[in-house]
Amino acid sequence: MDLPESSVPRRVGPVDREELVRVIEQSLYSLGYRRAAAALEAESGVPLYPPEHDRLLLDVMAGQWDACVETVRSVAGVGDADRAVAEFLLWRGHYLELLGAGGDAGLRRAREVLRRRISPLGVDRRCVHWLACAMVSCKGAVAPETVVEWRISVFLDLVEVLPPWFHVPTGRLEHLVESAVTKQVASCIYHNLPDEITLFEDHKCHEQHIPSECAQILCGHNNEVWFVRFSNNGDYLASSSSDCTAIIWKGHHKPISFVAWSPNDRMLLTCGTGESLKLWNVDTGECNLKFQGSADYIISSCAWFPNSEKIVCASSEPGSSPNRIFTCDLEGQELEVWAGDRIPKVSELAVTPDGRHLIFVSCNDIWIRELPKGREWRFREKQAISSLSLSGDGQSLIVNLSSQEIHLWKINESSTVPEKFKGHKQEKFVIRSCFGGSNSLFIASGSEDSEVYIWKRHLETPIKVLHGHTMIVNCVSWNPARAHMLASASDDRTVRIWLARKTGSICS
């Protein structure tokens, strides 16, 4: 049977019952379920809006300004400052309508409103001055044919000043639910699959949601595998090795330490110590271009611009020749060159996905330059930097340090202190890490102890360590299109593919 009104608790836990009912009613109305919302109002006895709300709305629309002021003064919980602002909004609305009406009578009445109603409120004098000037310029005057729209806007401005209980904000229930879900997801250290979120239960992922099982071992190299990188669409994987090959593309005569996919995944760049930079056609496996310099010419790193039509390289030559950073087209023609004594010897560089920033590292410094010729700033580390990796959105970067730490920096100028990640081993060799997972929420890295380490962003210690390689893991790459897939390259001559497990089966 129905409970009498007095027996219904005012609060359900920490939640006020009437507030909850009003928020639900507002959501039903906004979703188009008007009959359901009206039925809830009738059954609960809790109207969506308090009597003062409807009275104020009717008075504003009727232009009953004195009655509006009386209603505002009767609303509980309004401070003196907010009450003055609310009254100012009302009298400003009346004032500008009078100016728009024209004629001597309208102008005389507007002057009286300004002198007797607005000036005594003590609001910002610049606002009063602007209204006084409007009497001459008619700027802001409300034409008679737009009065209805104007009064609606006056009411909406009033709502922003009055207490939250007076008018339930649009989308309030949806915002509360979204905030709760977002908080649960943020606290879930294994969250990696966006489609797993549901409102029917509290959100919790298990460690099987991140790559943790070796699904395949690639044994095509005959020596140490130094670098591995998924294509941008996630369909292909390129690896390079000291055996002078880049699987599947061949043709180098010296060890290959670096590969870079073009953003459209049609081309691949490869380079290595003492080796020329080569551009490969992914479909045919043919070398389209060889960027050849002098015998001692060293290209240490390269990166693509987002249009796949231009690359940037860092190079140096032994002796007195200066270090250089240069851009060139796909025919090898240099477009821009930065050279001179102030250009450091660059070990690695990258271009943000929007093409707006060039990032490069040298010794202990991370340099960020706005393109084409904008500002430049840098972050200084206390230890030598061995590698650089960008997040998928280009807003963050990570660097591996000789201190056996990985540091995460925001690329904006205001960034001062990096986030730190520890646990892996790196003392002598270049170890490459990467962002990965849903929304780049994870960081993965190789290690000199033959393991692969995975961290959740904002957590300093690893949440997962992957065992399987038998020698140093030099590089890892998280599939940008498949959040459950990770690749690792090792001195044991293999590339391992790691997949997430879910409910006992390997994700595909």
Side-chain angles (χ1 to χ4, degrees), residues 334-382:
E334 290 188 356
L335 305 174
E336 295 178 274
V337 177
W338 296 282
D341 294 338
R342 68 178 302 273
I343 299 298
K345 184 176 181 180
V346 175
S347 58
E348 195 153 352
L349 50 73
V351 178
T352 54
D354 59 10
R356 295 177 57 189
H357 295 93
L358 170 66
I359 303 171
F360 54 93
V361 296
S362 174
C363 296
N364 295 24
D365 293 326
I366 305 166
W367 296 78
I368 301 175
R369 172 177 290 177
E370 285 185 335
L371 299 174
K373 294 181 179 180
R375 296 169 299 165
E376 183 178 271
W377 61 95
R378 65 174 171 171
F379 308 129
R380 171 154 289 180
E381 292 281 7
K382 295 181 180 179

Side-chain angles (χ1 to χ4, degrees), residues 188-193 196 203-209:
C188 177
I189 64 174
Y190 297 115
H191 178 69
N192 190 33
L193 300 173
E196 292 297 308
H203 178 79
K204 183 179 181 180
C205 294
H206 301 281
E207 61 180 310
Q208 290 85 1
H209 286 74

Side-chain angles (χ1 to χ4, degrees), residues 181-231:
V181 171
T182 300
K183 185 174 182 179
Q184 288 186 11
V185 169
S187 63
C188 177
I189 64 174
Y190 297 115
H191 178 69
N192 190 33
L193 300 173
D195 57 349
E196 292 297 308
I197 297 174
T198 176
L199 298 181
F200 298 132
E201 61 181 356
D202 289 343
H203 178 79
K204 183 179 181 180
C205 294
H206 301 281
E207 61 180 310
Q208 290 85 1
H209 286 74
I210 60 173
S212 55
E213 177 167 303
C214 183
Q216 191 173 8
I217 302 176
L218 308 179
C219 302
H221 288 291
N222 297 320
N223 212 325
E224 299 169 353
V225 186
W226 288 347
F227 197 92
V228 65
R229 181 69 53 83
F230 279 105
S231 61

Side-chain angles (χ1 to χ4, degrees), residues 61-373:
M61 297 309 297
Q64 301 295 324
W65 305 108
D66 287 303
C68 291
V69 170
E70 290 302 316
T71 300
V72 166
R73 291 176 179 175
S74 71
V75 174
V78 183
D80 291 341
D82 286 340
R83 199 181 307 278
V85 172
E87 292 188 27
F88 170 78
L89 293 173
L90 287 167
W91 292 121
R92 184 192 66 174
H94 184 31
Y95 174 83
L96 293 176
E97 283 188 23
L98 291 171
L99 290 185
D104 293 340
L107 188 61
R108 185 171 55 256
R109 293 176 61 193
R111 187 181 298 113
E112 284 298 303
V113 170
L114 183 64
R115 182 175 64 85
R116 297 180 55 194
R117 302 292 193 179
I118 296 177
S119 293
L121 292 174
V123 297
D124 192 332
R125 302 310 299 174
R126 289 174 296 181
C127 298
V128 179
H129 179 71
W130 183 90
L131 292 176
C133 292
M135 193 173 296
V136 177
S137 66
C138 290
K139 184 177 181 180
V142 179
E145 62 271 17
T146 63
V147 164
V148 173
E149 292 84 353
W150 167 248
R151 290 178 180 177
I152 292 173
S153 70
V154 169
F155 178 76
L156 294 176
D157 288 341
L158 280 170
V159 165
E160 296 297 320
V161 177
L162 297 175
W165 63 262
F166 186 83
H167 183 94
V168 180
T170 301
R172 180 59 182 166
L173 180 60
E174 291 84 345
H175 172 73
L176 290 171
V177 173
E178 183 179 343
S179 297
V181 171
T182 300
K183 185 174 182 179
Q184 288 186 11
V185 169
S187 63
C188 177
I189 64 174
Y190 297 115
H191 178 69
N192 190 33
L193 300 173
D195 57 349
E196 292 297 308
I197 297 174
T198 176
L199 298 181
F200 298 132
E201 61 181 356
D202 289 343
H203 178 79
K204 183 179 181 180
C205 294
H206 301 281
E207 61 180 310
Q208 290 85 1
H209 286 74
I210 60 173
S212 55
E213 177 167 303
C214 183
Q216 191 173 8
I217 302 176
L218 308 179
C219 302
H221 288 291
N222 297 320
N223 212 325
E224 299 169 353
V225 186
W226 288 347
F227 197 92
V228 65
R229 181 69 53 83
F230 279 105
S231 61
N232 297 284
N233 62 16
D235 291 341
Y236 301 98
L237 180 71
S239 59
S240 64
S241 167
S242 61
D243 66 5
C244 310
T245 66
I247 301 279
I248 298 174
W249 302 271
K250 300 181 180 180
H252 284 269
H253 301 288
K254 296 180 181 178
I256 303 168
S257 60
F258 184 84
V259 299
W261 289 91
S262 63
N264 62 15
D265 291 326
R266 297 176 182 174
M267 294 163 284
L268 190 74
L269 287 171
T270 61
C271 67
T273 303
E275 178 62 284
S276 59
L277 179 67
K278 293 181 179 180
L279 176 67
W280 302 87
N281 184 302
V282 173
D283 292 331
T284 65
E286 297 177 351
C287 180
N288 287 355
L289 187 65
K290 183 177 181 180
F291 299 84
Q292 187 65 57
S294 65
D296 295 324
Y297 195 83
I298 298 173
I299 294 181
S300 56
S301 185
C302 58
W304 290 88
F305 279 81
N307 61 6
S308 297
E309 297 177 356
K310 185 170 69 171
I311 63 173
V312 58
C313 302
S315 67
S316 62
E317 294 184 45
S320 59
S321 298
N323 300 313
R324 301 167 74 245
I325 300 174
F326 62 94
T327 63
C328 60
D329 59 26
L330 302 188
E331 296 180 352
Q333 300 297 316
E334 290 188 356
L335 305 174
E336 295 178 274
V337 177
W338 296 282
D341 294 338
R342 68 178 302 273
I343 299 298
K345 184 176 181 180
V346 175
S347 58
E348 195 153 352
L349 50 73
V351 178
T352 54
D354 59 10
R356 295 177 57 189
H357 295 93
L358 170 66
I359 303 171
F360 54 93
V361 296
S362 174
C363 296
N364 295 24
D365 293 326
I366 305 166
W367 296 78
I368 301 175
R369 172 177 290 177
E370 285 185 335
L371 299 174
K373 294 181 179 180

Side-chain angles (χ1 to χ4, degrees), residues 347-502:
S347 58
E348 195 153 352
L349 50 73
V351 178
T352 54
D354 59 10
R356 295 177 57 189
H357 295 93
L358 170 66
I359 303 171
F360 54 93
V361 296
S362 174
C363 296
N364 295 24
D365 293 326
I366 305 166
W367 296 78
I368 301 175
R369 172 177 290 177
E370 285 185 335
L371 299 174
K373 294 181 179 180
R375 296 169 299 165
E376 183 178 271
W377 61 95
R378 65 174 171 171
F379 308 129
R380 171 154 289 180
E381 292 281 7
K382 295 181 180 179
Q383 295 83 25
I385 300 170
S386 68
S387 64
L388 162 72
S389 181
L390 282 181
S391 61
D393 60 9
Q395 299 300 308
S396 305
L397 63 87
I398 49 177
V399 290
N400 282 53
L401 305 175
S402 58
S403 61
Q404 304 192 83
E405 290 185 356
I406 297 172
H407 287 184
L408 184 153
W409 294 87
K410 298 289 188 180
I411 71 167
N412 58 67
E413 292 179 85
S414 61
S415 184
T416 56
V417 179
E419 296 181 48
K420 299 179 181 181
F421 305 90
K422 302 177 180 179
H424 69 301
K425 306 298 180 185
Q426 180 178 357
E427 296 178 337
K428 301 178 180 179
F429 303 101
V430 174
I431 302 295
R432 298 182 185 275
S433 57
C434 70
F435 289 92
S438 177
N439 296 320
S440 296
L441 288 175
F442 298 92
I443 290 171
S445 179
S447 177
E448 292 180 12
D449 62 4
S450 309
E451 315 285 20
V452 176
Y453 288 79
I454 297 176
W455 295 262
K456 179 71 178 289
R457 287 178 66 164
H458 314 306
L459 295 180
E460 185 175 291
T461 56
I463 62 172
K464 191 70 177 177
V465 180
L466 309 184
H467 313 284
H469 286 291
T470 59
M471 298 180 71
I472 295 171
V473 181
N474 299 301
C475 183
V476 293
S477 178
W478 209 303
N479 193 309
R482 296 171 176 81
H484 58 262
M485 183 181 293
L486 176 73
S488 57
S490 169
D491 279 0
D492 64 11
R493 306 184 180 186
T494 69
V495 173
R496 288 180 176 250
I497 306 298
W498 308 86
L499 295 180
R501 288 185 60 86
K502 184 183 174 186

